[in-house]
Amino acid sequence: MSSSTFGQLFSVTTWGESHGKGIGCIVDGCPAGLSMNEAIIQSYLDRRKPGATKYSTPRKEQDTVTILSGIFEGKTTGTPIAMEILNETQRSSDYSEIASYYRPGHADYTFDKKYGFRDYRGGGRSSGRETIGRVAAGAIACTILKELGITVQAYTKAIGTIEISENNISLENITKSPLFMPDLEASAKAEDYLLSKMKEKDSVGGIIECIIKGMPAGIGEPVFEKLDANLAKAILSIGAVKGFEIGSGFGAAKLCGSQNNDMFYPIQTENSKNQVQKIEKKTNHAGGILGGISDGSDIVFRAAFKPTPSIASTQQTVNKSGEAITVNIKGRHDPIIVPRAVVVVESMAAITLVDMLFINMHSRINQVKHFYKQ
């Protein structure tokens, strides 16, 4: 299977299946000398591991990471970083009957049409467990960004029709909410709604919002490697994502140019040598990116996640012989994907940013000269 690698100068290759021996990734292009260890990576993996709350799959996995290469004495060596996370509680028998039919909302049918063969154990490569490798790599990318003063913060904006209120947002509440919502009042309502759907043997979707702070202006390419286009590709590559918008997004279609344009204004700042004129924007409908290039303001985007397709209520489908049948999906499944996907969104955003920052280093001759002739 090709196309399991994302990125150019900072690249991530994921491998493994949901019910295989393990999951992992290889990160290539990480600079030498970055402080890194398994504890840092584990802190990110713990945010997405299953069984943490009653709103996630009951499958119990520790998702313990083992670094196989690329790190020595707590520092990256500049060589490929290979990481492995073993699957500990595979129950392939839960999926034996689905080998004969196509689950609604899953990739079973399309995998069969593409390859003529599929790993039906939990979805194989199309399973949500594939994102483990992304998060392990994202932990490294986020650490690089912190060295540059750039932060990536995602959270649950909406569960079903229940959305956070701008007046009640506190980022400190994200870790207090089992749904990773910064508005605890909305979180309580969303929990009640989710519990009611679980009793009905149904599932729920939602929206994740991500805010990137500290990104310098001038990052991204003006045509086919636009920063927003690459962020969209990264986020839409997450299996359950069905929509992406940046800044005002689809709301911009309802505005006039006079409303949607972000007006610039100058401000005077001082550094140790002299006064510096800095350019700011009065609004941020563009979401921090103009012409595919970062403008120095916060980058704000949102991702829409579909409801978990594996539900226990009766559904209609067809078997591999083309016969109409009804099914009730068995196994251990999340009633909602969104909370565990928050760290996945952060990780894919961070991987994209690091890759684009590295690519940008050769955009000006003076930057190249500064590096090699300092």
Side-chain angles (χ1 to χ4, degrees), residues 66-89:
T66 300
I67 298 173
L68 304 177
S69 67
I71 296 174
F72 179 66
E73 295 184 344
K75 299 283 187 181
T76 56
T77 62
T79 58
I81 302 170
M83 292 175 281
E84 177 184 64
I85 300 91
L86 295 178
N87 291 325
E88 298 172 342
T89 62

Side-chain angles (χ1 to χ4, degrees), residues 14-24 87 124-126 129-130:
T14 69
W15 54 266
E17 295 80 34
S18 175
H19 286 254
K21 290 186 177 181
I23 299 280
N87 291 325
R125 285 290 284 165
S126 62
R129 279 192 68 74
E130 181 273 336

Side-chain angles (χ1 to χ4, degrees), residues 1 99 102 107-120 320:
M1 179 184 292
Y102 303 120
D108 301 343
Y109 176 72
T110 50
F111 256 66
D112 255 4
K113 287 300 178 182
K114 181 174 178 63
Y115 298 106
F117 177 83
R118 64 184 167 95
D119 182 347
Y120 56 80
K320 296 186 74 171

Side-chain angles (χ1 to χ4, degrees), residues 339-356:
R340 292 175 60 208
V342 167
V343 69
V344 183
V345 169
E346 288 181 2
S347 296
M348 289 308 298
I351 292 166
T352 304
L353 296 179
V354 170
D355 192 38
M356 299 296 283

Side-chain angles (χ1 to χ4, degrees), residues 167-277:
N167 298 324
N168 293 336
I169 290 179
S170 172
L171 296 182
E172 294 179 354
N173 290 334
I174 296 173
T175 55
K176 298 177 183 178
S177 164
L179 301 178
F180 293 97
M181 300 183 88
D183 175 355
L184 295 182
E185 184 177 328
S187 178
K189 293 179 181 178
E191 290 174 59
D192 290 341
Y193 174 68
L194 186 54
L195 287 171
S196 70
K197 292 303 175 184
M198 290 168 66
K199 290 179 182 178
E200 296 172 9
K201 298 181 180 180
D202 213 339
S203 61
V204 180
I207 297 172
I208 291 176
E209 185 166 70
C210 185
I211 301 176
I212 299 161
K213 293 183 175 291
M215 192 70 174
I219 309 301
E221 304 301 320
V223 185
F224 295 120
E225 296 295 324
K226 287 179 166 64
L227 178 55
D228 45 355
N230 283 356
L231 282 170
K233 179 180 180 180
I235 302 305
L236 285 166
S237 74
I238 301 169
V241 175
K242 301 303 289 185
F244 176 91
E245 66 174 9
I246 189 162
S248 292
F250 283 93
K254 301 176 183 179
L255 302 177
C256 296
S258 57
Q259 298 170 303
N260 187 65
N261 288 344
D262 300 313
M263 304 299 177
F264 291 107
Y265 67 96
I267 58 173
Q268 297 293 329
T269 61
E270 293 187 5
N271 58 24
S272 58
K273 294 182 179 179
N274 50 32
Q275 281 195 339
V276 178
Q277 188 179 72

